[in-house]
Amino acid sequence: MLHGKGKLEYLLLLPKEDMRYQWTTNKKKADLNAKKYYQNCEGIDVAGNRLYFVSKAQKQMFILNLDGNRYEVESTVGGSFSGAPDQLVRLIGEGELLYYTEEVSRTFSLCCFF
């Protein structure tokens, strides 16, 4: 939780630079970058030095390494999962599991990402 003044920065994905990312204060530049690389994002989770979020438009999950300014992209298409990824949920117990739900009009899917 942020108390007091803070610096607002926006995400820029740089896939042409070996899957790196950076932060910017330029909202217009960040909006264009989001439209190109990670549209309609929902769900967010942080575990250790990893930040996870999903893109409905691209049907992908993004994993940012918060220590190294690099990121990975995982497809959310496969098996019986045919809709758009929606929310992320982390279950903690003997082992941590990250789930994402699917937004489809008639069916419901839940996928697990270890």
Side-chain angles (χ1 to χ4, degrees):
M1 185 179 295
L2 179 63
H3 296 277
K5 292 184 178 183
K7 184 177 181 182
L8 184 58
E9 294 183 315
Y10 304 93
L11 178 64
L12 289 177
L13 295 182
L14 308 168
K16 294 179 182 175
E17 294 182 27
D18 297 326
M19 304 298 279
R20 293 188 180 276
Y21 71 90
Q22 65 186 35
W23 302 102
T24 182
T25 57
N26 185 331
K27 187 174 185 325
K28 186 174 182 177
K29 185 176 180 179
D31 286 346
L32 291 171
N33 185 266
K35 186 175 182 178
K36 187 172 183 178
Y37 297 117
Y38 60 103
Q39 295 178 18
N40 298 44
C41 289
E42 284 195 26
I44 190 167
D45 186 80
V46 176
N49 68 340
R50 303 270 191 241
L51 183 141
Y52 302 83
F53 63 92
V54 292
S55 166
K56 286 184 172 195
Q58 279 105 335
K59 296 184 179 183
Q60 295 174 320
M61 179 166 58
F62 294 83
I63 308 155
L64 304 184
N65 179 333
L66 298 174
D67 292 335
N69 285 52
R70 289 188 172 273
Y71 71 96
E72 303 169 44
V73 180
E74 297 283 340
S75 174
T76 62
V77 177
S80 62
F81 195 91
S82 60
D86 199 14
Q87 297 299 313
L88 292 172
V89 177
R90 180 171 302 279
L91 300 179
I92 301 172
E94 291 183 25
E96 290 188 21
L97 300 174
L98 180 65
Y99 291 90
Y100 55 88
T101 59
E102 176 182 32
E103 187 174 285
V104 180
S105 59
R106 292 181 218 163
T107 61
F108 174 78
S109 294
L110 184 67
C111 293
C112 180
F113 180 81
F114 305 53

